[in-house]
């Protein structure tokens, strides 16, 4: 194991050196180094010889050594405006976790579940999808998976792995939490990466309500498609008696909502509402963007007190609970994106791809969707968005196309990963989901979903004006 880990560690810099040596013959050294950085970081994100957050810090030393872009442009990405938003929303989410409000909402959404196995699959998929619109997908699976496994064992399904009843339920949770994130800007950090590029492309602020108007219809179409896929999986029994009673008894055990839970819920609801109605007050508070709204409400968690007189959140709890790794991963993706865009590396990649017979039709939409989907399957959706969106923009501009519909379709694609046991799917494996079942069913779903996303993007581009401009 030590030898294998050592090989995985040195594989990154060796691949970087090899790619750099080859590309340096044909393109400027800074562009070669930027593209080689993609290979090093991508390989380490797949092999994981170090934590993925550590890999996300690589742009700092690599840029310091090769001088690809001004250093302040890289460093600023690690505490950008969107990082402020992530910290603020994280603080509020920690209150939900501390007060068990997240569990209360999850259990309540499942209390109406029926005894039919197919109804169970549908409810778990819908619950995980809707929750991941507002909460980080990892948080959603960490809430729902223990509840689902406990329910299955309570109903006599003791063996979880390779269980034809448990497998579709666990798949519904990890897949729903994974793709549901593109329903709102807060659902996935890759969405915030996308917003930063869209705002840079258009030169104006991209309102949250504009995001929901464009993506929520697509989210529900994909959700029903995945539901149809899951319902076609064979199950040995038609019903699981006792599920509804189980959830009702668990919810009753939580007791009435306490002051801490209510405050946590109101902080989130008010912050979310202000983020969506920003067009109403932007002229009066031009600097109060959603990032600073969420950060302001997040800071209130250190001031407000719960029913026992304790602070909703202490600084020690915040230090321990904030998902710093996710924040670094997000920031590293932005830093890598800056390397490949500002050096001109994205344009070089685009030149190669434009050698394909692309005319801007469905084949172009499918090619770019395939590119984005492949990246998100082998790394993370944040990293995939950081790499694919600037490349997609460069390709479409070189082809003389409007980049907006292709970028919007790529945003959907980087949120549709179903195969490898990483990210939310890795959590499912720890709770008994078989990696073999995940990968076998995930390959089938991924291929079909790529075709669906490409088709949706093409149809929206042709017939939906909102998909042509921001």
């Amino acid at each position: 194991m030590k030898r294998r880990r050592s090989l995985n560690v040195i594989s990154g810099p060796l691949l970087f050196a090899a790619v750099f040596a080859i590309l340096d013959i044909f393109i400027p050294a800074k562009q070669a180094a930027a593209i080689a950085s993609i290979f090093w970081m991508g390989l380490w994100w797949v092999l994981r010889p170090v934590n993925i957050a550590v890999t996300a810090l690589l742009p700092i030393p690599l840029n310091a050594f090769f001088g690809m872009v001004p250093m302040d442009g890289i460093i600023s990405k690690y505490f950008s405006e969107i990082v402020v938003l992530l910290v603020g929303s994280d603080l509020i989410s920690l209150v939900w976790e501390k007060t068990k409000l997240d569990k209360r909402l999850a259990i309540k959404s499942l209390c109406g579940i029926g005894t039919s196995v197919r109804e169970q699959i549908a409810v778990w998929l819908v619950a995980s999808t809707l929750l991941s619109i507002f909460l980080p997908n990892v948080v959603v699976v960490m809430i729902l998976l223990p509840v689902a496994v406990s329910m299955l064992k309570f109903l006599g399904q003791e063996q979880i792995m390779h269980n034809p009843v448990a497998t579709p339920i666990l798949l519904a949770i990890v897949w729903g939490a994974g793709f549901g994130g593109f329903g709102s800007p807060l659902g996935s950090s890759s969405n915030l990466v996308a917003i930063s590029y869209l705002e840079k492309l258009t030169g104006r602020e991209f309102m949250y309500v504009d995001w929901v108007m464009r993506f929520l219809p697509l989210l529900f179409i994909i959700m029903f498609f995945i539901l149809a896929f899951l319902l076609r999986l064979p199950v040995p029994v038609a019903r699981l008696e006792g599920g509804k009673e189980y959830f009702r008894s668990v919810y009753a055990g939580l007791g009435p909502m306490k002051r801490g839970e209510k405050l946590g819920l109101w902080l989130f609801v008010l912050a979310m509402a202000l983020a969506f109605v920003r067009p109403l007050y932007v002229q009066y508070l031009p600097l109060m963007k959603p990032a600073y709204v969420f950060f302001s409400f997040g800071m209130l968690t250190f001031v407000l007190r719960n029913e026992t007189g304790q602070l909703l959140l202490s600084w020690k709890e915040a230090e321990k609970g904030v998902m710093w790794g996710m924040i670094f991963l997000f920031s590293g993706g932005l830093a890598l994106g800056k390397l490949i865009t500002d050096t001109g590396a994205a344009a070089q990649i685009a030149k190669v791809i434009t050698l394909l017979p692309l005319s801007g039709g469905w084949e172009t939409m499918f090619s770019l969707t395939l590119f984005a989907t492949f990246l998100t399957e082998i790394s993370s959706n944040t990293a995939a968005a950081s790499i694919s969106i600037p490349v997609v923009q460069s390709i479409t501009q070189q082809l003389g196309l409007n980049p907006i519909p292709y970028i919007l379709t790529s945003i959907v694609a980087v949120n549709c990963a179903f195969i490898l046991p990483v990210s939310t799917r890795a959590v499912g494996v720890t709770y008994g989901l078989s990696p073999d079942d995940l990968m076998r069913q995930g390959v089938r779903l991924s291929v079909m979903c790529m075709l669906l996303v490409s088709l949706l993007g093409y149809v929206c581009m042709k017939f939906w004006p909102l998909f042509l401009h921001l």
Side-chain angles (χ1 to χ4, degrees):
M1 289 298 293
K2 288 183 178 180
R3 180 179 296 177
R4 181 178 178 182
R5 184 178 181 279
S6 298
L7 289 174
N8 289 342
V9 168
I10 65 172
S11 64
L14 288 177
L15 181 60
F16 176 93
V19 172
F20 178 79
I22 295 171
L23 295 181
D24 190 39
I25 301 172
F26 305 101
I27 60 177
K30 292 181 179 181
Q31 295 178 1
I35 296 174
S37 300
I38 298 175
F39 282 85
W40 183 346
M41 294 176 70
L43 185 63
W44 270 14
W45 272 325
V46 173
L47 299 179
R48 304 198 177 199
V50 297
N51 189 280
I52 57 176
V54 176
T55 301
L57 297 172
L58 277 174
I60 298 175
L62 287 174
N63 189 59
F65 189 84
F66 287 94
M68 291 174 271
V69 298
M71 201 66 192
D72 57 350
I74 296 297
I75 296 300
S76 64
K77 297 301 180 184
Y78 289 87
F79 203 78
S80 63
E81 180 179 293
I82 304 177
V83 171
V84 173
L85 171 59
L86 288 174
V87 173
S89 61
D90 239 9
L91 294 174
I92 298 174
S93 296
L94 285 175
V95 174
W96 285 36
E97 183 180 347
K98 179 181 177 180
T99 61
K100 301 293 190 293
L101 174 63
D102 52 5
K103 185 175 182 180
R104 178 184 295 277
L105 294 176
I107 298 296
K108 185 64 176 177
S109 67
L110 297 168
C111 281
I113 200 168
T115 58
S116 165
V117 174
R118 300 194 184 282
E119 185 177 343
Q120 291 252 354
I121 294 170
V123 172
W124 285 107
L125 178 67
V126 172
S128 61
T129 301
L130 295 182
L131 284 173
S132 65
I133 293 176
F134 304 104
L135 296 174
N137 52 17
V138 175
V139 173
V140 174
V141 294
M142 291 301 294
I143 295 169
L144 293 182
L145 281 173
V147 176
V149 171
S150 297
M151 178 206 70
L152 288 165
K153 291 184 176 180
F154 177 80
L155 300 179
Q157 305 291 326
E158 293 292 337
Q159 177 63 33
I160 301 299
M161 185 170 287
H162 298 301
N163 183 330
V165 174
T167 294
I169 290 176
L170 298 189
L171 286 175
I173 294 172
V174 298
W175 285 348
F179 82 88
F182 78 86
S184 81
L186 293 176
S188 170
S189 55
S190 65
N191 301 342
L192 302 177
V193 172
I195 287 177
S196 68
Y197 283 117
L198 290 171
E199 290 182 337
K200 184 177 179 181
L201 174 64
T202 61
R204 63 183 182 86
E205 185 178 351
F206 187 34
M207 299 295 181
Y208 279 23
V209 66
D210 293 329
W211 179 285
V212 173
M213 288 171 58
R214 287 164 174 79
F215 287 109
L216 209 55
L218 301 182
L219 175 70
F220 285 113
I221 292 173
I222 294 173
M223 182 181 73
F224 286 119
F225 178 80
I226 294 175
L227 176 60
F229 178 88
L230 287 169
L231 292 181
R232 291 183 63 84
L233 296 180
V235 290
V237 295
R239 297 192 173 276
L240 286 174
E241 300 294 340
K244 183 181 297 186
E245 292 74 14
Y246 173 79
F247 290 121
R248 287 178 175 175
S249 65
V250 172
Y251 187 81
L254 295 175
M257 283 188 71
K258 301 178 180 62
R259 173 183 166 85
E261 292 178 88
K262 293 177 181 178
L263 287 173
L265 181 60
W266 274 111
L267 287 174
F268 180 81
V269 169
L270 290 174
M272 181 66 77
L274 287 173
F276 277 97
V277 301
R278 175 161 166 72
L280 300 179
Y281 64 85
V282 63
Q283 59 179 329
Y284 307 108
L285 295 171
L287 297 181
M288 187 56 75
K289 295 182 179 181
Y292 309 120
V293 170
F294 271 89
F295 192 77
S296 299
F297 278 91
M299 288 189 67
L300 289 178
T301 62
F302 299 113
V303 178
L304 299 175
R305 296 181 181 272
N306 61 19
E307 64 279 357
T308 64
Q310 294 180 327
L311 292 172
L312 290 181
L313 202 63
S314 68
W315 178 248
K316 184 173 291 187
E317 290 170 325
E319 280 185 308
K320 184 178 180 181
V322 170
M323 292 186 285
W324 303 110
M326 181 194 71
I327 290 172
F328 280 136
L329 176 60
F330 163 79
S331 303
L334 283 182
L336 178 60
K338 188 167 184 65
L339 289 180
I340 65 174
T341 53
D342 287 13
T343 60
Q348 294 289 355
I349 297 173
K351 286 181 180 178
V352 174
I353 298 179
T354 51
L355 295 176
L356 298 172
L358 303 177
S359 62
W362 184 84
E363 84 291 341
T364 304
M365 192 68 77
F366 176 76
S367 299
L368 300 182
T369 300
L370 175 63
F371 176 58
T373 303
F374 173 75
L375 288 176
T376 199
E377 289 287 2
I378 65 170
S379 57
S380 69
N381 55 6
T382 305
S386 302
I387 298 170
S388 64
I389 292 177
V391 172
V392 168
Q393 179 181 334
S394 296
I395 292 171
T396 51
Q397 288 176 337
Q398 289 195 25
L399 291 172
L401 304 171
N402 174 12
I404 299 299
Y406 300 94
I407 292 176
L408 296 181
T409 305
S410 295
I411 292 170
V412 178
V414 298
N415 281 280
C416 293
F418 307 105
I419 301 174
L420 296 178
V422 297
S423 185
T424 56
R425 302 176 297 285
V427 181
V429 171
T430 64
Y431 277 91
L433 178 61
S434 168
D436 296 338
D437 291 334
L438 172 66
M439 296 178 70
R440 184 174 65 256
Q441 302 299 341
V443 168
R444 294 171 57 207
L445 179 59
S446 186
V447 171
M448 290 188 287
C449 208
M450 269 192 297
L451 294 171
L452 175 64
V453 171
S454 303
L455 179 61
L456 287 174
Y458 180 73
V459 171
C460 289
M461 179 177 65
K462 290 294 185 181
F463 302 106
W464 194 15
L466 281 180
F467 228 65
L468 296 174
H469 59 83
L470 302 179

